[in-house]
Amino acid sequence: VYLRSRPVAPAPPVASDGLAHLGAIIDALATPIAIFNASRELVQCNRAYAVLWRLDPKWLRLGMDERAILDRLRTDGLLPAEPDYQAWRARHLQSYSYTEPRESDPWHLPDGRTVQVISAPAGPKGGVIYVFEDITDQLKLKSQHQTQLEVQRSTLNALSEGVAVFGTNG
């Protein structure tokens, strides 16, 4: 049996369909995410990213250079107060050369928030994906817990009576 092949219209590129679907998922997340291509141009970010950095969505648009965004955040007093901003920014932008995800040192922001930044390669063509996590409450709880342990320890050490403390496992 001989089947004659007919020309078939080319399928749309998978990447665009996949990226559109991925973009909707990213935008629905409460975790701030921004994706930049190898040219440091913004290709995707979600509402949580704009909210975290208090950026007007009308100002924040696709194709913006990450350096311009960082400079705006610095001007608005939203980035860590660094004596040498240019060196800090250069260290941050080294994330474009990472081959594996990395967690940066926490960013202690002027408004009292602390943000953890995770950088990961965006794909074989380069670029970077940033995931931001506001860890302020986490650090506060950890500090409160540590303070409570210290108070308990010093209270027990100040007692002249014998005290035995048993855990829940006996």
Side-chain angles (χ1 to χ4, degrees):
V1 175
Y2 176 78
L3 296 175
R4 186 174 168 189
S5 64
R6 293 186 294 181
V8 178
V14 176
S16 65
D17 287 347
L19 287 179
H21 181 63
L22 180 63
I25 292 170
I26 288 172
D27 198 44
L29 295 174
T31 302
I33 297 174
I35 303 172
F36 293 86
N37 64 19
S39 300
R40 295 187 176 109
E41 297 168 331
L42 181 65
V43 293
Q44 178 72 42
C45 69
N46 60 6
R47 280 176 252 181
Y49 175 79
V51 169
L52 172 72
W53 298 116
R54 300 175 186 148
L55 293 170
D56 181 355
K58 293 175 185 172
W59 179 84
L60 185 65
R61 62 190 182 288
L62 299 183
M64 292 191 74
D65 190 293
E66 183 182 6
R67 293 168 291 201
I69 295 171
L70 290 171
D71 292 347
R72 167 78 180 264
L73 294 175
R74 179 174 183 249
T75 300
D76 291 349
L78 295 170
L79 289 180
E82 292 287 331
D84 187 353
Y85 169 71
Q86 296 302 324
W88 177 89
R89 187 178 80 167
R91 282 191 310 275
H92 170 70
L93 293 174
Q94 286 176 349
S95 57
Y96 285 86
S97 63
Y98 296 164
T99 57
E100 294 179 0
R102 287 195 191 174
E103 216 172 81
S104 72
D105 290 333
W107 292 5
H108 301 285
L109 307 181
D111 63 5
R113 295 179 298 163
T114 302
V115 175
Q116 183 67 58
V117 182
I118 300 168
S119 307
K125 293 182 180 180
V128 66
I129 300 170
Y130 293 113
V131 178
F132 300 87
E133 182 182 7
D134 185 340
I135 59 172
T136 308
D137 291 338
Q138 212 176 329
L139 292 176
K140 184 177 176 183
L141 285 173
K142 193 175 186 178
S143 174
Q144 288 173 344
H145 178 70
Q146 191 62 35
T147 301
Q148 183 180 18
L149 289 176
E150 291 298 324
V151 168
Q152 287 176 347
R153 185 176 296 116
S154 62
T155 301
L156 289 173
N157 289 338
L159 293 174
S160 57
E161 296 84 10
V163 176
V165 179
F166 296 92
T168 56
N169 60 359

